[in-house]
Amino acid sequence: MCRPRSGQSAVTGTDTARVPDPERGTLDKAAGENFPVAPFFLPRAWRADLMAVYGFARLVDDIGDGDLAPGGADARLLGVAARDAEDRLLLLDAFEADLERVFSGEPRHPLLRRLRPTVRRCSLTPEPFLGLIAANRQDQLVKRYETYNDLLAYCELSANPVGRLVLGVTGTSTPERIRLSDEICTALQIVEHLQDVAEDLGRDRIYLPAEDMKRFHVQEADLATKTAGASVRALVAYEAQRARGLLNEGAPLVGSVHGRLKLLLAGFVAGGRAAIHAIAAAEYDVLPGPPKPGKIQLLREMGTTLRGEG
């Protein structure tokens, strides 16, 4: 439900080289996500709208992480000069300007042109999109989080807007559903951070609260080893339990809707629970790489979630 492979198109003429297609390359990443983006059982209109929202969210994350396709095509589409194509804050500013054109004008980037009819059809507002951009700006400036509440404030920008957009696209948004969705999305973001401790450290980012690291006697150097020691495992187990609690608090969202949307939302919750189970099965050693749940475990969690258990 909440936050991240490349497609290409041929060049005509005598040059047989291939160049990246920014739109297709970004959308193709949906298959590698930890959560269902637009599964086949949803109505076609919902799938199209959810893919449009995904394209926005994936691209803004790729800008913030420096993971854009080589060649600078995205920068050119956003009107950023080649010499500035590595300036992430400048790219995010240009992306925000193009987002404004979604609501009043003609966007430059094809993914934002794809988003425009979804925004109009579903009466979406700029706020959740701006939140995702703000989260990626924050990633350029804030590399550590002192407290758990600081991390929750980051998740309010980086994860919760995606759930709110899903509710907006499906026409099911209410204040109570938004509250429950926020719990689920924050949990999923925390789980992703736990899976990606080593990868995030490689980007000089740590999403484990410093106050918790101190409590469990974990130093930053302990996160750079090939396997986790007892202190790191205890810290990861503690944060995983927090995430499980948030998932359980948000799970009543599933029972508040019906039909195919219920299956989609159950998939989000089950995916988070299965990921936590995989982390536990790895004895909370996340440093060798992200523990991934198997299909059987995911199906078990899906059944548990649909039955309102867990």
Side-chain angles (χ1 to χ4, degrees), residues 4 8 40 43 67 101 147 226 277:
Q8 295 178 315
F40 70 92
D67 287 340
R101 288 187 280 269
T147 69
K226 292 184 178 180
H277 184 275

Side-chain angles (χ1 to χ4, degrees), residues 76-96:
R76 288 194 299 274
L77 286 165
L78 294 171
V80 175
R83 66 178 179 276
D84 297 321
E86 301 300 319
D87 187 330
R88 299 181 193 177
L89 286 172
L90 185 61
L91 284 169
L92 288 169
D93 288 345
F95 193 60
E96 183 172 329

Side-chain angles (χ1 to χ4, degrees), residues 41-104:
F41 56 78
L42 293 179
R44 181 177 297 179
W46 282 7
R47 295 202 309 270
D49 289 333
L50 289 172
M51 283 303 296
V53 168
Y54 171 78
F56 176 94
R58 181 69 270 171
L59 182 57
V60 73
D61 275 359
D62 285 349
I63 292 172
D65 290 341
D67 287 340
L68 293 176
D74 291 292
R76 288 194 299 274
L77 286 165
L78 294 171
V80 175
R83 66 178 179 276
D84 297 321
E86 301 300 319
D87 187 330
R88 299 181 193 177
L89 286 172
L90 185 61
L91 284 169
L92 288 169
D93 288 345
F95 193 60
E96 183 172 329
D98 213 28
L99 173 65
E100 291 176 4
R101 288 187 280 269
V102 170
F103 292 88
S104 59

Side-chain angles (χ1 to χ4, degrees), residues 100-290:
E100 291 176 4
R101 288 187 280 269
V102 170
F103 292 88
S104 59
E106 182 62 30
R108 293 174 174 174
H109 200 287
L111 285 170
L112 293 182
R113 290 198 295 270
R114 175 188 286 260
L115 181 63
R116 191 180 179 197
T118 292
V119 163
R120 292 185 172 183
R121 183 163 50 245
C122 303
S123 299
L124 302 179
T125 64
E127 285 73 23
F129 300 105
L130 291 170
L132 294 174
I133 294 174
N136 279 277
R137 279 205 188 94
Q138 187 164 314
D139 276 335
Q140 313 313 309
L141 304 171
V142 180
K143 306 295 185 179
R144 307 290 189 273
Y145 290 86
E146 181 62 31
T147 69
Y148 181 62
N149 284 338
D150 292 339
L151 185 63
L152 293 182
Y154 170 73
C155 293
E156 179 71 21
L157 298 173
S158 69
N160 298 359
V162 179
R164 296 182 181 204
L165 287 167
V166 170
L167 295 176
V169 163
T170 57
T172 55
S173 182
T174 67
E176 177 62 8
R177 285 178 179 147
I178 288 172
R179 185 187 70 80
L180 296 172
S181 171
D182 286 353
E183 302 279 7
I184 294 169
C185 287
T186 292
L188 293 177
Q189 182 74 89
I190 291 172
V191 170
E192 183 178 320
H193 289 159
L194 295 179
Q195 290 176 308
D196 294 341
V197 168
E199 179 182 335
D200 289 334
L201 187 64
R203 302 181 192 273
D204 190 29
R205 298 175 187 166
I206 296 178
Y207 295 102
L208 298 167
E211 64 178 7
D212 296 342
M213 291 176 63
K214 183 178 181 180
R215 173 182 175 182
F216 286 91
H217 308 288
V218 173
Q219 305 292 323
E220 289 193 14
D222 298 328
L223 305 179
T225 59
K226 292 184 178 180
T227 59
S231 296
V232 172
R233 293 175 192 237
L235 172 60
V236 171
Y238 176 72
E239 305 299 350
Q241 187 59 35
R242 276 178 156 171
R244 181 181 293 279
L246 288 170
L247 279 175
N248 291 343
E249 289 175 23
L253 176 66
V254 176
S256 77
V257 299
H258 304 282
R260 288 175 281 187
L261 179 58
K262 184 170 186 173
L263 288 176
L264 177 68
L265 299 183
F268 294 144
V269 175
R273 286 172 168 169
I276 292 171
H277 184 275
I279 291 171
E283 298 181 339
Y284 302 101
D285 185 4
V286 296
L287 298 187

Side-chain angles (χ1 to χ4, degrees), residues 7-22 24:
Q8 295 178 315
S9 60
V11 178
T12 58
T14 57
D15 185 357
T16 58
R18 298 172 72 85
V19 297
D21 173 351
R24 189 72 263 152

